[in-house]
Amino acid sequence: DDICFSLGALAHSRQTGCLLTVFPISGYVPVPAGVARPSADWVTRTRIAEDRAFAQACGLSLRMLRMPCASLLGYGPFDLGRVDENLGRVETVLVEAVLALAVAGGGRERPWLFCPCGIGGHVDHVAICMAITRHYEPLAQRYRIGFYEGLHYASNAASRRSGIDALLQALPDRALHRLGFPL
């Protein structure tokens, strides 16, 4: 849902690329008060079906790492006290998958790699951003790297500012440039 909400118009207009879903295994779904929460299996099946439908509508191939989201493992979704632990479980698998996708692409021009920049402090988004920034050099040899603002989280000005500041601190020797994509 993050790419759909934040980069959906770009993905749809390009009709090419790969959607890599890192954490498709989830038990989270908003439910009204007094309504029973569905099982994690149901939520996971639903989210995977949604990703497939979005990928198909946008002409994207779909790859899934089949990792459980942090909240399903008992992490608070916005508790960054365990972000290093979360990073440890995803970093190697994620970076290897992203590098393998670049090799498989084999095009003449480096493809884009869009990564959440972690605005809002969601522990899964922050872990993904940390993995990409830690491996920026080898990834930048194969990709043009873009860090996108999760639009739901970036709608809060203070969260947006602190998220952008954290990204700039993670890449102190990089000149980052803002790109705007119309919705």
Side-chain angles (χ1 to χ4, degrees), residues 1-2 21-28 47 67-80 82-91 94 115-132 148 153:
D1 60 358
D2 300 311
T21 301
V22 180
F23 303 110
I25 302 170
S26 177
Y28 175 76
R47 291 175 65 110
M67 298 188 78
C69 68
S71 61
L72 194 61
L73 298 176
Y75 296 68
F78 300 99
D79 178 5
L80 295 180
R82 295 179 68 187
V83 72
D84 288 330
E85 184 180 332
N86 200 30
L87 173 64
R89 75 184 182 96
V90 70
E91 182 173 15
L94 173 61
C115 170
C117 66
I119 290 175
H122 190 288
V123 68
D124 288 333
H125 298 184
V126 172
I128 290 171
C129 185
M130 289 173 69
I132 299 303
Y148 68 88
Y153 301 112

mmCIF file of all heavy atoms in Angstrom, residues 1-2 21-28 47 67-80 82-91 94 115-132 148 153:
data_model
loop_
_atom_site.group_PDB
_atom_site.id
_atom_site.type_symbol
_atom_site.label_atom_id
_atom_site.label_comp_id
_atom_site.label_asym_id
_atom_site.label_seq_id
_atom_site.Cartn_x
_atom_site.Cartn_y
_atom_site.Cartn_z
ATOM 1 N N ASP A 1 0.819 -1.209 0.000
ATOM 2 C CA ASP A 1 0.000 0.000 0.000
ATOM 3 C C ASP A 1 0.852 1.259 0.000
ATOM 4 O O ASP A 1 0.418 2.300 -0.444
ATOM 5 C CB ASP A 1 -0.987 -0.012 1.168
ATOM 6 C CG ASP A 1 -0.333 -0.072 2.563
ATOM 7 O OD1 ASP A 1 0.905 -0.142 2.656
ATOM 8 O OD2 ASP A 1 -1.082 -0.047 3.535
ATOM 9 N N ASP A 2 2.111 1.175 0.469
ATOM 10 C CA ASP A 2 2.945 2.381 0.529
ATOM 11 C C ASP A 2 3.267 2.911 -0.864
ATOM 12 O O ASP A 2 3.191 4.114 -1.105
ATOM 13 C CB ASP A 2 4.233 2.105 1.303
ATOM 14 C CG ASP A 2 3.942 1.661 2.730
ATOM 15 O OD1 ASP A 2 3.144 2.345 3.403
ATOM 16 O OD2 ASP A 2 4.470 0.634 3.145
ATOM 17 N N THR A 21 7.748 -6.329 -2.328
ATOM 18 C CA THR A 21 7.056 -6.225 -1.051
ATOM 19 C C THR A 21 7.916 -6.936 -0.016
ATOM 20 O O THR A 21 8.152 -8.135 -0.117
ATOM 21 C CB THR A 21 5.653 -6.848 -1.118
ATOM 22 O OG1 THR A 21 4.905 -6.168 -2.128
ATOM 23 C CG2 THR A 21 4.936 -6.715 0.213
ATOM 24 N N VAL A 22 8.388 -6.184 0.955
ATOM 25 C CA VAL A 22 9.308 -6.728 1.947
ATOM 26 C C VAL A 22 8.559 -7.450 3.058
ATOM 27 O O VAL A 22 8.943 -8.531 3.488
ATOM 28 C CB VAL A 22 10.208 -5.610 2.530
ATOM 29 C CG1 VAL A 22 11.177 -6.159 3.556
ATOM 30 C CG2 VAL A 22 10.959 -4.898 1.396
ATOM 31 N N PHE A 23 7.484 -6.861 3.551
ATOM 32 C CA PHE A 23 6.756 -7.397 4.711
ATOM 33 C C PHE A 23 5.294 -7.713 4.375
ATOM 34 O O PHE A 23 4.384 -7.066 4.892
ATOM 35 C CB PHE A 23 6.786 -6.384 5.856
ATOM 36 C CG PHE A 23 8.169 -5.980 6.299
ATOM 37 C CD1 PHE A 23 8.642 -4.699 6.043
ATOM 38 C CD2 PHE A 23 8.977 -6.864 6.987
ATOM 39 C CE1 PHE A 23 9.905 -4.310 6.463
ATOM 40 C CE2 PHE A 23 10.246 -6.486 7.418
ATOM 41 C CZ PHE A 23 10.711 -5.214 7.151
ATOM 42 N N PRO A 24 5.030 -8.712 3.553
ATOM 43 C CA PRO A 24 3.633 -8.995 3.221
ATOM 44 C C PRO A 24 2.876 -9.748 4.317
ATOM 45 O O PRO A 24 1.653 -9.776 4.299
ATOM 46 C CB PRO A 24 3.744 -9.853 1.959
ATOM 47 C CG PRO A 24 5.038 -10.576 2.135
ATOM 48 C CD PRO A 24 5.952 -9.578 2.816
ATOM 49 N N ILE A 25 3.584 -10.333 5.245
ATOM 50 C CA ILE A 25 2.931 -11.116 6.294
ATOM 51 C C ILE A 25 2.557 -10.172 7.428
ATOM 52 O O ILE A 25 3.424 -9.603 8.090
ATOM 53 C CB ILE A 25 3.836 -12.260 6.777
ATOM 54 C CG1 ILE A 25 4.207 -13.156 5.595
ATOM 55 C CG2 ILE A 25 3.160 -13.054 7.888
ATOM 56 C CD1 ILE A 25 5.274 -14.181 5.899
ATOM 57 N N SER A 26 1.253 -9.993 7.610
ATOM 58 C CA SER A 26 0.788 -8.970 8.538
ATOM 59 C C SER A 26 -0.525 -9.377 9.184
ATOM 60 O O SER A 26 -1.292 -10.146 8.613
ATOM 61 C CB SER A 26 0.588 -7.652 7.786
ATOM 62 O OG SER A 26 0.070 -6.656 8.628
ATOM 63 N N GLY A 27 -0.761 -8.831 10.331
ATOM 64 C CA GLY A 27 -2.038 -9.010 11.000
ATOM 65 C C GLY A 27 -2.766 -7.693 11.164
ATOM 66 O O GLY A 27 -3.835 -7.639 11.764
ATOM 67 N N TYR A 28 -2.183 -6.608 10.610
ATOM 68 C CA TYR A 28 -2.774 -5.287 10.825
ATOM 69 C C TYR A 28 -3.824 -4.969 9.782
ATOM 70 O O TYR A 28 -3.603 -5.070 8.581
ATOM 71 C CB TYR A 28 -1.717 -4.178 10.790
ATOM 72 C CG TYR A 28 -2.381 -2.821 10.884
ATOM 73 C CD1 TYR A 28 -2.860 -2.361 12.101
ATOM 74 C CD2 TYR A 28 -2.593 -2.051 9.757
ATOM 75 C CE1 TYR A 28 -3.520 -1.151 12.202
ATOM 76 C CE2 TYR A 28 -3.246 -0.833 9.838
ATOM 77 C CZ TYR A 28 -3.706 -0.392 11.061
ATOM 78 O OH TYR A 28 -4.374 0.795 11.161
ATOM 79 N N ARG A 47 -3.708 -8.632 1.764
ATOM 80 C CA ARG A 47 -2.654 -7.694 1.365
ATOM 81 C C ARG A 47 -1.896 -8.188 0.129
ATOM 82 O O ARG A 47 -1.564 -7.395 -0.762
ATOM 83 C CB ARG A 47 -1.708 -7.445 2.536
ATOM 84 C CG ARG A 47 -2.375 -6.662 3.662
ATOM 85 C CD ARG A 47 -1.471 -6.531 4.866
ATOM 86 N NE ARG A 47 -0.300 -5.745 4.559
ATOM 87 C CZ ARG A 47 -0.064 -4.532 5.040
ATOM 88 N NH1 ARG A 47 -0.934 -3.958 5.838
ATOM 89 N NH2 ARG A 47 1.030 -3.887 4.721
ATOM 90 N N MET A 67 8.474 -11.739 4.505
ATOM 91 C CA MET A 67 8.877 -11.491 5.882
ATOM 92 C C MET A 67 7.682 -10.947 6.665
ATOM 93 O O MET A 67 6.885 -10.187 6.130
ATOM 94 C CB MET A 67 10.025 -10.488 5.924
ATOM 95 C CG MET A 67 11.263 -10.984 5.206
ATOM 96 S SD MET A 67 12.653 -9.903 5.462
ATOM 97 C CE MET A 67 13.108 -10.429 7.092
ATOM 98 N N PRO A 68 7.565 -11.312 7.938
ATOM 99 C CA PRO A 68 6.484 -10.740 8.751
ATOM 100 C C PRO A 68 6.796 -9.297 9.128
ATOM 101 O O PRO A 68 7.952 -8.942 9.382
ATOM 102 C CB PRO A 68 6.446 -11.635 9.983
ATOM 103 C CG PRO A 68 7.791 -12.252 10.062
ATOM 104 C CD PRO A 68 8.326 -12.325 8.660
ATOM 105 N N CYS A 69 5.766 -8.469 9.144
ATOM 106 C CA CYS A 69 5.951 -7.086 9.575
ATOM 107 C C CYS A 69 6.285 -7.090 11.068
ATOM 108 O O CYS A 69 5.999 -8.043 11.794
ATOM 109 C CB CYS A 69 4.730 -6.241 9.268
ATOM 110 S SG CYS A 69 3.273 -6.652 10.222
ATOM 111 N N ALA A 70 6.893 -6.021 11.519
ATOM 112 C CA ALA A 70 7.373 -5.938 12.899
ATOM 113 C C ALA A 70 6.253 -6.101 13.913
ATOM 114 O O ALA A 70 6.431 -6.770 14.937
ATOM 115 C CB ALA A 70 8.103 -4.614 13.112
ATOM 116 N N SER A 71 5.097 -5.520 13.645
ATOM 117 C CA SER A 71 4.012 -5.584 14.629
ATOM 118 C C SER A 71 3.519 -7.014 14.834
ATOM 119 O O SER A 71 3.089 -7.375 15.924
ATOM 120 C CB SER A 71 2.858 -4.660 14.243
ATOM 121 O OG SER A 71 2.312 -5.040 13.001
ATOM 122 N N LEU A 72 3.613 -7.846 13.811
ATOM 123 C CA LEU A 72 3.198 -9.246 13.955
ATOM 124 C C LEU A 72 4.166 -10.007 14.870
ATOM 125 O O LEU A 72 3.795 -10.997 15.483
ATOM 126 C CB LEU A 72 3.122 -9.917 12.584
ATOM 127 C CG LEU A 72 2.394 -11.252 12.527
ATOM 128 C CD1 LEU A 72 0.946 -11.110 12.957
ATOM 129 C CD2 LEU A 72 2.463 -11.836 11.129
ATOM 130 N N LEU A 73 5.390 -9.509 14.972
ATOM 131 C CA LEU A 73 6.396 -10.136 15.836
ATOM 132 C C LEU A 73 6.416 -9.535 17.234
ATOM 133 O O LEU A 73 7.264 -9.885 18.046
ATOM 134 C CB LEU A 73 7.781 -10.002 15.197
ATOM 135 C CG LEU A 73 7.948 -10.682 13.843
ATOM 136 C CD1 LEU A 73 9.320 -10.386 13.270
ATOM 137 C CD2 LEU A 73 7.705 -12.178 13.948
ATOM 138 N N GLY A 74 5.507 -8.595 17.492
ATOM 139 C CA GLY A 74 5.418 -8.004 18.818
ATOM 140 C C GLY A 74 6.149 -6.683 18.983
ATOM 141 O O GLY A 74 6.185 -6.130 20.072
ATOM 142 N N TYR A 75 6.730 -6.154 17.926
ATOM 143 C CA TYR A 75 7.358 -4.845 17.979
ATOM 144 C C TYR A 75 6.242 -3.800 17.958
ATOM 145 O O TYR A 75 5.260 -3.967 17.225
ATOM 146 C CB TYR A 75 8.211 -4.574 16.738
ATOM 147 C CG TYR A 75 9.409 -5.444 16.511
ATOM 148 C CD1 TYR A 75 9.292 -6.789 16.197
ATOM 149 C CD2 TYR A 75 10.686 -4.897 16.560
ATOM 150 C CE1 TYR A 75 10.405 -7.572 15.952
ATOM 151 C CE2 TYR A 75 11.798 -5.672 16.311
ATOM 152 C CZ TYR A 75 11.657 -7.006 16.003
ATOM 153 O OH TYR A 75 12.759 -7.772 15.754
ATOM 154 N N GLY A 76 6.414 -2.715 18.678
ATOM 155 C CA GLY A 76 5.501 -1.594 18.506
ATOM 156 C C GLY A 76 5.790 -0.983 17.147
ATOM 157 O O GLY A 76 6.948 -0.740 16.814
ATOM 158 N N PRO A 77 4.778 -0.731 16.311
ATOM 159 C CA PRO A 77 5.050 -0.259 14.959
ATOM 160 C C PRO A 77 5.791 1.080 14.901
ATOM 161 O O PRO A 77 6.454 1.371 13.909
ATOM 162 C CB PRO A 77 3.669 -0.155 14.310
ATOM 163 C CG PRO A 77 2.695 -0.191 15.425
ATOM 164 C CD PRO A 77 3.352 -0.867 16.579
ATOM 165 N N PHE A 78 5.720 1.860 15.971
ATOM 166 C CA PHE A 78 6.411 3.151 15.995
ATOM 167 C C PHE A 78 7.431 3.215 17.129
ATOM 168 O O PHE A 78 7.882 4.290 17.497
ATOM 169 C CB PHE A 78 5.399 4.295 16.079
ATOM 170 C CG PHE A 78 4.461 4.288 14.910
ATOM 171 C CD1 PHE A 78 3.197 3.736 15.020
ATOM 172 C CD2 PHE A 78 4.858 4.788 13.679
ATOM 173 C CE1 PHE A 78 2.342 3.691 13.933
ATOM 174 C CE2 PHE A 78 4.013 4.747 12.584
ATOM 175 C CZ PHE A 78 2.747 4.194 12.706
ATOM 176 N N ASP A 79 7.808 2.067 17.669
ATOM 177 C CA ASP A 79 8.798 1.986 18.738
ATOM 178 C C ASP A 79 10.163 1.758 18.111
ATOM 179 O O ASP A 79 10.509 0.639 17.738
ATOM 180 C CB ASP A 79 8.445 0.848 19.698
ATOM 181 C CG ASP A 79 9.479 0.689 20.810
ATOM 182 O OD1 ASP A 79 10.422 1.510 20.889
ATOM 183 O OD2 ASP A 79 9.334 -0.264 21.600
ATOM 184 N N LEU A 80 10.919 2.828 17.975
ATOM 185 C CA LEU A 80 12.227 2.726 17.336
ATOM 186 C C LEU A 80 13.299 2.199 18.292
ATOM 187 O O LEU A 80 14.450 2.061 17.900
ATOM 188 C CB LEU A 80 12.631 4.078 16.743
ATOM 189 C CG LEU A 80 11.727 4.539 15.592
ATOM 190 C CD1 LEU A 80 12.196 5.885 15.052
ATOM 191 C CD2 LEU A 80 11.670 3.502 14.476
ATOM 192 N N ARG A 82 13.615 -0.757 19.091
ATOM 193 C CA ARG A 82 14.024 -2.062 18.561
ATOM 194 C C ARG A 82 14.337 -2.003 17.062
ATOM 195 O O ARG A 82 14.362 -3.026 16.389
ATOM 196 C CB ARG A 82 12.924 -3.080 18.826
ATOM 197 C CG ARG A 82 12.723 -3.337 20.321
ATOM 198 C CD ARG A 82 11.621 -4.314 20.614
ATOM 199 N NE ARG A 82 11.958 -5.659 20.173
ATOM 200 C CZ ARG A 82 11.086 -6.673 20.206
ATOM 201 N NH1 ARG A 82 9.871 -6.485 20.675
ATOM 202 N NH2 ARG A 82 11.441 -7.869 19.785
ATOM 203 N N VAL A 83 14.597 -0.805 16.544
ATOM 204 C CA VAL A 83 14.827 -0.680 15.106
ATOM 205 C C VAL A 83 16.103 -1.410 14.678
ATOM 206 O O VAL A 83 16.144 -2.007 13.597
ATOM 207 C CB VAL A 83 14.832 0.795 14.634
ATOM 208 C CG1 VAL A 83 16.085 1.534 15.085
ATOM 209 C CG2 VAL A 83 14.669 0.873 13.121
ATOM 210 N N ASP A 84 17.135 -1.422 15.506
ATOM 211 C CA ASP A 84 18.361 -2.139 15.136
ATOM 212 C C ASP A 84 18.110 -3.643 15.053
ATOM 213 O O ASP A 84 18.626 -4.324 14.164
ATOM 214 C CB ASP A 84 19.492 -1.838 16.117
ATOM 215 C CG ASP A 84 20.023 -0.420 15.960
ATOM 216 O OD1 ASP A 84 19.982 0.114 14.832
ATOM 217 O OD2 ASP A 84 20.480 0.153 16.964
ATOM 218 N N GLU A 85 17.299 -4.154 15.972
ATOM 219 C CA GLU A 85 16.923 -5.573 15.943
ATOM 220 C C GLU A 85 16.122 -5.868 14.671
ATOM 221 O O GLU A 85 16.342 -6.880 13.998
ATOM 222 C CB GLU A 85 16.105 -5.879 17.189
ATOM 223 C CG GLU A 85 15.723 -7.324 17.367
ATOM 224 C CD GLU A 85 14.916 -7.525 18.643
ATOM 225 O OE1 GLU A 85 15.068 -6.767 19.623
ATOM 226 O OE2 GLU A 85 14.098 -8.470 18.635
ATOM 227 N N ASN A 86 15.197 -4.983 14.340
ATOM 228 C CA ASN A 86 14.398 -5.147 13.129
ATOM 229 C C ASN A 86 15.285 -5.067 11.888
ATOM 230 O O ASN A 86 15.136 -5.858 10.956
ATOM 231 C CB ASN A 86 13.292 -4.088 13.089
ATOM 232 C CG ASN A 86 12.165 -4.464 12.159
ATOM 233 O OD1 ASN A 86 11.866 -5.632 11.948
ATOM 234 N ND2 ASN A 86 11.522 -3.462 11.595
ATOM 235 N N LEU A 87 16.215 -4.130 11.887
ATOM 236 C CA LEU A 87 17.169 -4.013 10.780
ATOM 237 C C LEU A 87 17.964 -5.305 10.634
ATOM 238 O O LEU A 87 18.161 -5.792 9.519
ATOM 239 C CB LEU A 87 18.114 -2.828 11.019
ATOM 240 C CG LEU A 87 19.273 -2.684 10.037
ATOM 241 C CD1 LEU A 87 18.764 -2.396 8.629
ATOM 242 C CD2 LEU A 87 20.224 -1.592 10.506
ATOM 243 N N GLY A 88 18.399 -5.867 11.741
ATOM 244 C CA GLY A 88 19.199 -7.088 11.694
ATOM 245 C C GLY A 88 18.487 -8.246 11.021
ATOM 246 O O GLY A 88 19.113 -9.058 10.336
ATOM 247 N N ARG A 89 17.180 -8.316 11.173
ATOM 248 C CA ARG A 89 16.463 -9.440 10.564
ATOM 249 C C ARG A 89 16.173 -9.232 9.082
ATOM 250 O O ARG A 89 15.905 -10.187 8.358
ATOM 251 C CB ARG A 89 15.174 -9.739 11.335
ATOM 252 C CG ARG A 89 14.051 -8.786 11.110
ATOM 253 C CD ARG A 89 12.827 -9.110 11.991
ATOM 254 N NE ARG A 89 11.764 -8.183 11.697
ATOM 255 C CZ ARG A 89 10.775 -8.424 10.846
ATOM 256 N NH1 ARG A 89 10.704 -9.585 10.224
ATOM 257 N NH2 ARG A 89 9.850 -7.514 10.626
ATOM 258 N N VAL A 90 16.261 -7.990 8.601
ATOM 259 C CA VAL A 90 15.877 -7.711 7.214
ATOM 260 C C VAL A 90 17.047 -7.298 6.316
ATOM 261 O O VAL A 90 17.001 -7.509 5.115
ATOM 262 C CB VAL A 90 14.765 -6.633 7.164
ATOM 263 C CG1 VAL A 90 15.272 -5.278 7.567
ATOM 264 C CG2 VAL A 90 14.135 -6.570 5.796
ATOM 265 N N GLU A 91 18.094 -6.723 6.875
ATOM 266 C CA GLU A 91 19.139 -6.072 6.076
ATOM 267 C C GLU A 91 19.739 -6.972 4.994
ATOM 268 O O GLU A 91 19.730 -6.613 3.809
ATOM 269 C CB GLU A 91 20.241 -5.561 7.007
ATOM 270 C CG GLU A 91 21.349 -4.818 6.286
ATOM 271 C CD GLU A 91 22.332 -4.195 7.257
ATOM 272 O OE1 GLU A 91 22.348 -4.547 8.456
ATOM 273 O OE2 GLU A 91 23.100 -3.327 6.806
ATOM 274 N N LEU A 94 17.132 -8.192 2.323
ATOM 275 C CA LEU A 94 16.675 -7.089 1.478
ATOM 276 C C LEU A 94 17.752 -6.654 0.484
ATOM 277 O O LEU A 94 17.489 -6.551 -0.717
ATOM 278 C CB LEU A 94 16.255 -5.897 2.342
ATOM 279 C CG LEU A 94 15.914 -4.609 1.593
ATOM 280 C CD1 LEU A 94 14.753 -4.800 0.641
ATOM 281 C CD2 LEU A 94 15.632 -3.485 2.582
ATOM 282 N N CYS A 115 12.766 3.917 -2.217
ATOM 283 C CA CYS A 115 12.837 3.408 -0.858
ATOM 284 C C CYS A 115 12.098 4.367 0.072
ATOM 285 O O CYS A 115 12.232 5.585 -0.068
ATOM 286 C CB CYS A 115 14.321 3.339 -0.466
ATOM 287 S SG CYS A 115 14.649 3.002 1.260
ATOM 288 N N PRO A 116 11.341 3.843 1.043
ATOM 289 C CA PRO A 116 10.715 4.767 1.998
ATOM 290 C C PRO A 116 11.787 5.466 2.818
ATOM 291 O O PRO A 116 12.796 4.851 3.184
ATOM 292 C CB PRO A 116 9.855 3.850 2.881
ATOM 293 C CG PRO A 116 10.520 2.518 2.793
ATOM 294 C CD PRO A 116 11.102 2.440 1.405
ATOM 295 N N CYS A 117 11.606 6.750 3.077
ATOM 296 C CA CYS A 117 12.623 7.468 3.854
ATOM 297 C C CYS A 117 12.354 7.421 5.353
ATOM 298 O O CYS A 117 13.140 7.932 6.136
ATOM 299 C CB CYS A 117 12.832 8.890 3.345
ATOM 300 S SG CYS A 117 11.452 9.989 3.533
ATOM 301 N N GLY A 118 11.288 6.776 5.760
ATOM 302 C CA GLY A 118 11.056 6.558 7.189
ATOM 303 C C GLY A 118 10.348 7.684 7.908
ATOM 304 O O GLY A 118 10.311 7.702 9.133
ATOM 305 N N ILE A 119 9.776 8.621 7.151
ATOM 306 C CA ILE A 119 9.005 9.691 7.795
ATOM 307 C C ILE A 119 7.882 9.054 8.609
ATOM 308 O O ILE A 119 7.218 8.138 8.140
ATOM 309 C CB ILE A 119 8.424 10.658 6.750
ATOM 310 C CG1 ILE A 119 9.554 11.472 6.112
ATOM 311 C CG2 ILE A 119 7.363 11.566 7.349
ATOM 312 C CD1 ILE A 119 9.102 12.365 4.974
ATOM 313 N N GLY A 120 7.697 9.531 9.802
ATOM 314 C CA GLY A 120 6.663 8.993 10.675
ATOM 315 C C GLY A 120 7.181 7.968 11.657
ATOM 316 O O GLY A 120 6.513 7.626 12.614
ATOM 317 N N GLY A 121 8.386 7.443 11.396
ATOM 318 C CA GLY A 121 9.006 6.534 12.343
ATOM 319 C C GLY A 121 8.432 5.138 12.388
ATOM 320 O O GLY A 121 8.587 4.441 13.392
ATOM 321 N N HIS A 122 7.793 4.671 11.314
ATOM 322 C CA HIS A 122 7.326 3.280 11.304
ATOM 323 C C HIS A 122 8.554 2.376 11.285
ATOM 324 O O HIS A 122 9.426 2.506 10.426
ATOM 325 C CB HIS A 122 6.437 3.013 10.090
ATOM 326 C CG HIS A 122 5.749 1.689 10.151
ATOM 327 N ND1 HIS A 122 6.414 0.508 9.981
ATOM 328 C CD2 HIS A 122 4.457 1.370 10.395
ATOM 329 C CE1 HIS A 122 5.563 -0.485 10.104
ATOM 330 N NE2 HIS A 122 4.361 0.017 10.360
ATOM 331 N N VAL A 123 8.629 1.459 12.232
ATOM 332 C CA VAL A 123 9.837 0.666 12.446
ATOM 333 C C VAL A 123 10.236 -0.145 11.205
ATOM 334 O O VAL A 123 11.430 -0.322 10.940
ATOM 335 C CB VAL A 123 9.696 -0.224 13.711
ATOM 336 C CG1 VAL A 123 8.665 -1.313 13.503
ATOM 337 C CG2 VAL A 123 11.017 -0.785 14.147
ATOM 338 N N ASP A 124 9.281 -0.612 10.410
ATOM 339 C CA ASP A 124 9.617 -1.348 9.188
ATOM 340 C C ASP A 124 10.170 -0.417 8.114
ATOM 341 O O ASP A 124 11.151 -0.742 7.441
ATOM 342 C CB ASP A 124 8.390 -2.101 8.654
ATOM 343 C CG ASP A 124 8.025 -3.306 9.504
ATOM 344 O OD1 ASP A 124 8.916 -3.886 10.158
ATOM 345 O OD2 ASP A 124 6.833 -3.677 9.511
ATOM 346 N N HIS A 125 9.567 0.750 7.968
ATOM 347 C CA HIS A 125 10.050 1.708 6.971
ATOM 348 C C HIS A 125 11.441 2.209 7.339
ATOM 349 O O HIS A 125 12.314 2.343 6.472
ATOM 350 C CB HIS A 125 9.106 2.906 6.861
ATOM 351 C CG HIS A 125 7.729 2.544 6.419
ATOM 352 N ND1 HIS A 125 6.778 3.499 6.179
ATOM 353 C CD2 HIS A 125 7.127 1.353 6.183
ATOM 354 C CE1 HIS A 125 5.650 2.910 5.808
ATOM 355 N NE2 HIS A 125 5.840 1.608 5.815
ATOM 356 N N VAL A 126 11.650 2.485 8.613
ATOM 357 C CA VAL A 126 12.965 2.965 9.067
ATOM 358 C C VAL A 126 14.023 1.893 8.848
ATOM 359 O O VAL A 126 15.134 2.192 8.401
ATOM 360 C CB VAL A 126 12.901 3.433 10.539
ATOM 361 C CG1 VAL A 126 14.290 3.750 11.076
ATOM 362 C CG2 VAL A 126 11.986 4.657 10.663
ATOM 363 N N ALA A 127 13.711 0.635 9.137
ATOM 364 C CA ALA A 127 14.680 -0.451 8.930
ATOM 365 C C ALA A 127 15.050 -0.588 7.455
ATOM 366 O O ALA A 127 16.223 -0.772 7.115
ATOM 367 C CB ALA A 127 14.130 -1.765 9.476
ATOM 368 N N ILE A 128 14.066 -0.478 6.566
ATOM 369 C CA ILE A 128 14.348 -0.552 5.126
ATOM 370 C C ILE A 128 15.245 0.608 4.716
ATOM 371 O O ILE A 128 16.243 0.425 4.006
ATOM 372 C CB ILE A 128 13.047 -0.565 4.310
ATOM 373 C CG1 ILE A 128 12.306 -1.887 4.516
ATOM 374 C CG2 ILE A 128 13.333 -0.323 2.824
ATOM 375 C CD1 ILE A 128 10.902 -1.907 3.929
ATOM 376 N N CYS A 129 14.922 1.811 5.162
ATOM 377 C CA CYS A 129 15.728 2.976 4.831
ATOM 378 C C CYS A 129 17.157 2.815 5.352
ATOM 379 O O CYS A 129 18.124 3.111 4.646
ATOM 380 C CB CYS A 129 15.081 4.235 5.397
ATOM 381 S SG CYS A 129 15.932 5.756 4.919
ATOM 382 N N MET A 130 17.298 2.336 6.580
ATOM 383 C CA MET A 130 18.630 2.134 7.144
ATOM 384 C C MET A 130 19.429 1.115 6.331
ATOM 385 O O MET A 130 20.622 1.308 6.084
ATOM 386 C CB MET A 130 18.525 1.676 8.602
ATOM 387 C CG MET A 130 18.056 2.761 9.543
ATOM 388 S SD MET A 130 17.751 2.135 11.224
ATOM 389 C CE MET A 130 19.427 1.760 11.748
ATOM 390 N N ALA A 131 18.788 0.034 5.899
ATOM 391 C CA ALA A 131 19.486 -0.974 5.096
ATOM 392 C C ALA A 131 19.977 -0.375 3.786
ATOM 393 O O ALA A 131 21.116 -0.614 3.365
ATOM 394 C CB ALA A 131 18.563 -2.166 4.831
ATOM 395 N N ILE A 132 19.136 0.417 3.146
ATOM 396 C CA ILE A 132 19.523 1.008 1.862
ATOM 397 C C ILE A 132 20.623 2.056 2.062
ATOM 398 O O ILE A 132 21.591 2.091 1.297
ATOM 399 C CB ILE A 132 18.293 1.607 1.141
ATOM 400 C CG1 ILE A 132 17.245 0.523 0.845
ATOM 401 C CG2 ILE A 132 18.704 2.360 -0.122
ATOM 402 C CD1 ILE A 132 17.740 -0.657 0.029
ATOM 403 N N TYR A 148 11.352 8.051 -1.011
ATOM 404 C CA TYR A 148 10.046 8.693 -1.111
ATOM 405 C C TYR A 148 9.473 8.977 0.270
ATOM 406 O O TYR A 148 9.752 8.302 1.243
ATOM 407 C CB TYR A 148 9.076 7.870 -1.954
ATOM 408 C CG TYR A 148 8.640 6.552 -1.351
ATOM 409 C CD1 TYR A 148 7.533 6.490 -0.508
ATOM 410 C CD2 TYR A 148 9.314 5.378 -1.655
ATOM 411 C CE1 TYR A 148 7.114 5.288 0.034
ATOM 412 C CE2 TYR A 148 8.905 4.169 -1.116
ATOM 413 C CZ TYR A 148 7.809 4.134 -0.273
ATOM 414 O OH TYR A 148 7.415 2.937 0.265
ATOM 415 N N TYR A 153 2.256 9.685 6.341
ATOM 416 C CA TYR A 153 3.121 10.161 7.426
ATOM 417 C C TYR A 153 3.624 11.586 7.154
ATOM 418 O O TYR A 153 3.734 12.388 8.067
ATOM 419 C CB TYR A 153 4.298 9.209 7.620
ATOM 420 C CG TYR A 153 3.860 7.804 7.939
ATOM 421 C CD1 TYR A 153 4.058 6.766 7.039
ATOM 422 C CD2 TYR A 153 3.216 7.516 9.139
ATOM 423 C CE1 TYR A 153 3.650 5.481 7.334
ATOM 424 C CE2 TYR A 153 2.802 6.227 9.440
ATOM 425 C CZ TYR A 153 3.016 5.213 8.541
ATOM 426 O OH TYR A 153 2.604 3.947 8.828
#
